[in-house]
Amino acid sequence: MLTNEDNETLTRVGPGTPMGELFRRFWLPALLASEVSEPDGAPVRLRILCEDLLAFRASDGQVGIVEAYCSHRGAPLYFGRNEQGGLRCAYHGWKFAADGECIDVPNADHPRDNSKARAKLGIRAYPTREAGGIVWVYMGPPERQPAPPALEWTLVPPSHRHVSRWLQRSNWLQGAEGEIDTSHISFLHKDHDPATSAIYVTGANLAVDGAPEITVKETDYGFASGARRQLGDEYFWRVTQWLLPMYSLIPRAPSTAFTGSGGRAWVPIDDYNTTTFAYAYRVDQPLSADELDMIEKGAHFPPRTARHAVQLGSGQPIDAFVPLANFDNDYLIDRDRQRTSNFSGIAGVSAQDRSVQEGMRGATGQPRGIVDRSREHLVRSDVCIMIARRRLLRMARELQQGLEPDLVMNGDAYGVRAISKVCATAGFDEFLQQFGHECAIQQEETK
Ligand code: FES
Ligand SMILES: [Fe+2]
């Protein structure tokens, strides 16, 4: 359990909050590059860390992520014209470059020829970069811009990876905690038919042992957790990586050589909504047609989604991919299927996860709030969650005291892998001695 104070610290992400400021020290996935594929194309409405933003690709190919409202009288720039090096507000024609500079004020003479005066009329803009099919944004102090995280899925050729994003209507931590909660896989994601079980993401045989022995190795980037399940005379090991502040790497099914993995990143929209980014990749070859088909149909990994403008309660609408199975339709639960074919009665790993994470009991007793962690009863298998919370709380509080996170300057720290193995090795230390080189785990313990 957590005190209400700690829970508030971990979950609130607006400007000035401890966790909001910590997130602002990292590069964050903002949207898919394919959503702004065309220079001078339509902008995309975003909200990140409680700020309304707009992404657009300018004429020179640069992606701008800027505040969503015009500096003149606050009109939504979404309705503007993206043309000739900037976004022109539809109301009175003021124009803004991708870096936020106001470059034209056509309805007034005064600042038009006065660049100093015009500079004051700029809108907030954040640095962006593109990698891994994603546009990333950095929303922190300019002088502390971090190194790009060398996440392997961002480095493989485009044919070797699949990325997607969708809206999750919960606080970010409810999603992120599910990623490092290995024991739920044996239940929530159990499929009675091995042919359709979530092998792609989780590996086979997870249902055999629902109480894995979990050992956590803290590292500079977060931690590696080893979940050991009994499998006949041997052990089935899954090493999952958690990378600060909110990335997971989940192993594929066991194999002798590393072929790839997948995972998710949880980017807070505000305190109650999150953009989930999912990635799957191979290192050895392009994703096969079958693999892509499975991913795109949403059979296991991302959900089927459709892009909509969504009103979340405050500010402007955002453009989000909304899962077709969602809170409003009970995630299309099929009770017959639950009796006969899978544990949840819900199709797809992601919809299964959302069904239990979006409706968690909030402090007011209402679902879709922020889960009340003072009322939980954590057990041994929740060890990863306890460690992640402790780590995040410590970093957020240190930052409040002026201690910047060193990690953000070390992008290479993110170059790790998630693996799974079937072997006779019983201890995690021994396992790492044997196979640690395959996941490039940094053995350095953090205090
Ligand atoms: S509100 Fe945008 S130009 Fe007037
Ligand atoms: Fe899950």
Side-chain angles (χ1 to χ4, degrees):
M1 63 160 272
L2 276 186
T3 63
N4 286 329
E5 186 195 341
D6 285 352
N7 201 25
E8 287 287 296
T9 301
L10 280 172
T11 53
R12 302 286 175 183
V13 292
T17 59
M19 201 60 216
E21 290 307 304
L22 184 61
F23 267 112
R24 282 170 173 78
R25 292 303 192 269
F26 292 83
W27 280 107
L28 300 173
L31 73 163
L32 307 180
S34 58
E35 295 177 73
V36 282
S37 56
E38 292 293 316
D40 295 342
V44 175
R45 291 171 289 200
L46 301 171
R47 183 178 300 143
I48 303 175
L49 301 173
C50 303
E51 291 187 39
D52 288 340
L53 301 168
L54 207 56
F56 66 101
R57 193 179 293 276
S59 310
D60 64 358
Q62 193 195 342
V63 178
I65 294 189
V66 298
E67 67 176 286
Y69 306 107
C70 180
S71 60
H72 177 213
R73 281 171 46 212
L77 288 169
Y78 174 73
F79 296 104
R81 303 169 62 90
N82 183 13
E83 57 186 16
Q84 296 169 334
L87 195 58
R88 192 182 285 285
C89 179
Y91 208 173
H92 315 94
W94 291 26
K95 186 171 180 181
F96 303 91
D99 65 0
E101 187 189 347
C102 180
I103 52 176
D104 196 14
V105 183
N107 70 332
D109 289 337
H110 162 60
R112 188 188 288 171
D113 302 317
N114 182 337
S115 57
K116 213 169 150 195
R118 220 171 45 194
K120 282 195 196 151
L121 304 179
I123 51 175
R124 197 173 337 108
Y126 293 116
T128 63
R129 53 181 288 271
E130 290 182 61
I134 300 280
V135 179
W136 303 69
V137 65
Y138 171 64
M139 296 170 65
E143 69 281 10
R144 298 204 176 272
Q145 185 168 314
L151 292 155
E152 191 167 39
W153 58 270
T154 69
L155 305 174
V156 298
S159 58
H160 290 45
R161 72 168 160 258
H162 183 278
V163 291
S164 58
R165 74 172 180 114
W166 64 84
L167 176 67
Q168 168 142 340
R169 290 176 181 263
S170 79
N171 180 264
W172 76 277
L173 191 58
Q174 280 154 235
E177 288 184 344
E179 294 298 286
I180 50 177
D181 166 17
T182 195
S183 80
H184 85 275
I185 295 163
S186 303
F187 303 94
L188 180 67
H189 302 315
K190 181 158 81 174
D191 208 309
H192 302 324
D193 176 0
T196 55
S197 73
I199 289 169
Y200 181 73
V201 181
T202 57
N205 301 313
L206 293 175
V208 173
D209 182 354
E213 184 69 31
I214 299 168
T215 316
V216 178
K217 193 85 171 168
E218 284 204 56
T219 63
D220 51 359
Y221 57 83
F223 60 69
S225 71
R228 193 194 75 186
R229 289 172 164 86
Q230 192 76 43
L231 187 67
D233 296 340
E234 295 188 293
Y235 297 109
F236 176 26
W237 280 96
R238 299 178 70 244
V239 178
T240 302
Q241 303 282 3
W242 177 65
L243 302 105
L244 287 157
M246 48 42 182
Y247 300 96
S248 67
L249 285 175
I250 310 287
R252 291 166 67 106
S255 64
T256 47
F258 179 80
T259 56
S261 71
R264 296 181 193 157
W266 307 84
V267 181
I269 292 170
D270 53 29
D271 295 345
Y272 303 103
N273 298 282
T274 302
T275 302
T276 311
F277 285 83
Y279 32 90
Y281 73 101
R282 294 190 71 112
V283 291
D284 54 337
Q285 61 188 56
L287 289 167
S288 68
D290 280 354
E291 285 169 325
L292 285 171
D293 192 47
M294 185 162 69
I295 290 168
E296 273 160 14
K297 276 191 186 143
H300 298 310
F301 199 44
R304 289 187 181 86
T305 59
R307 188 160 133 178
H308 300 296
V310 183
Q311 183 73 52
L312 294 178
S314 67
Q316 66 165 17
I318 63 167
D319 296 309
F321 292 89
V322 179
L324 301 187
N326 59 50
F327 185 92
D328 295 322
N329 56 24
D330 288 339
Y331 307 90
L332 303 174
I333 187 169
D334 178 337
R335 296 290 182 185
D336 279 340
R337 189 179 166 141
Q338 189 171 36
R339 269 186 291 275
T340 58
S341 99
N342 76 3
F343 194 82
S344 67
I346 291 170
V349 167
S350 165
Q352 291 161 3
D353 282 330
R354 282 182 295 103
S355 73
V356 293
Q357 292 167 358
E358 291 183 324
M360 285 175 139
R361 175 190 55 218
T364 58
Q366 298 296 316
R368 289 204 194 172
I370 294 172
V371 68
D372 181 354
R373 292 183 171 82
S374 71
R375 296 172 66 189
E376 341 166 290
H377 298 90
L378 298 185
V379 292
R380 232 174 109 78
S381 61
D382 295 311
V383 61
C384 291
I385 289 169
M386 296 180 224
I387 291 173
R389 291 176 183 174
R390 197 178 64 207
R391 185 78 176 266
L392 287 164
L393 277 171
R394 191 177 66 217
M395 287 179 82
R397 289 192 172 132
E398 283 176 353
L399 182 59
Q400 294 288 291
Q401 291 156 10
L403 192 60
E404 295 286 335
D406 293 339
L407 167 66
V408 299
M409 296 303 174
N410 181 12
D412 289 345
Y414 286 79
V416 297
R417 294 169 161 179
I419 63 170
S420 67
K421 298 273 174 201
V422 175
C423 63
T425 309
F428 195 37
D429 280 340
E430 291 166 80
F431 181 91
L432 290 178
Q433 275 166 17
Q434 227 174 324
F435 302 111
H437 61 283
E438 289 188 34
C439 35
I441 287 176
Q442 299 172 28
Q443 302 283 352
E444 194 183 309
E445 291 274 353
T446 52
K447 314 260 151 20

